[in-house]
Amino acid sequence: IGRGCVLVGMFMILHAGLSSAHHRANLRLSEQPYDGLPVDITAQCVVGFVIACFGISKVAGDFKDISATNDLNRKTLDSITNVPSFYHFAHRGRSLHSIIYS
């Protein structure tokens, strides 16, 4: 049901966009001023957005808890603070050591 809602919602948004372009073209041909989009095009866009958001939330699966305490209770402090990507061994220490102790 989730993927179907996503497809229907995206189709509604696409159709609202094409309808708005068609509406603008008709206004230009009839030389009328642009006062905004009609209510039905705006409503179709909003309803399509809501249906697509509902479908995306169904496709995404189960949500995780906002509080991180459940995940952090299983880890030790050493594993949390250990970030190997921050290890950096090519630094100025070698050249500074030779300057200071020479």
Side-chain angles (χ1 to χ4, degrees):
I1 192 169
R3 290 183 184 182
C5 286
V6 171
L7 289 175
V8 168
M10 293 304 235
F11 178 74
M12 288 178 72
I13 293 171
L14 178 68
H15 186 266
L18 292 174
S19 297
S20 67
H22 185 68
H23 176 70
R24 288 289 297 251
N26 285 341
L27 286 179
R28 286 185 188 143
L29 288 175
S30 63
E31 296 178 355
Q32 294 178 356
Y34 178 72
D35 295 331
L37 288 175
V39 177
D40 60 337
I41 295 176
T42 306
Q44 182 180 10
C45 187
V46 170
V47 169
F49 177 73
V50 169
I51 290 173
C53 285
F54 174 76
I56 288 171
S57 69
K58 290 296 182 185
V59 170
D62 296 333
F63 291 112
K64 283 189 153 187
D65 290 334
I66 292 177
S67 63
T69 57
N70 294 338
D71 293 335
L72 294 178
N73 285 339
R74 288 184 248 128
K75 295 182 177 181
T76 64
L77 185 62
D78 291 334
S79 66
I80 292 172
T81 59
N82 185 15
V83 184
S85 61
F86 287 155
Y87 294 170
H88 187 67
F89 296 108
H91 50 75
R92 290 176 271 184
R94 213 176 282 153
S95 61
L96 288 176
H97 179 71
S98 64
I99 292 172
I100 293 172
Y101 293 109
S102 61

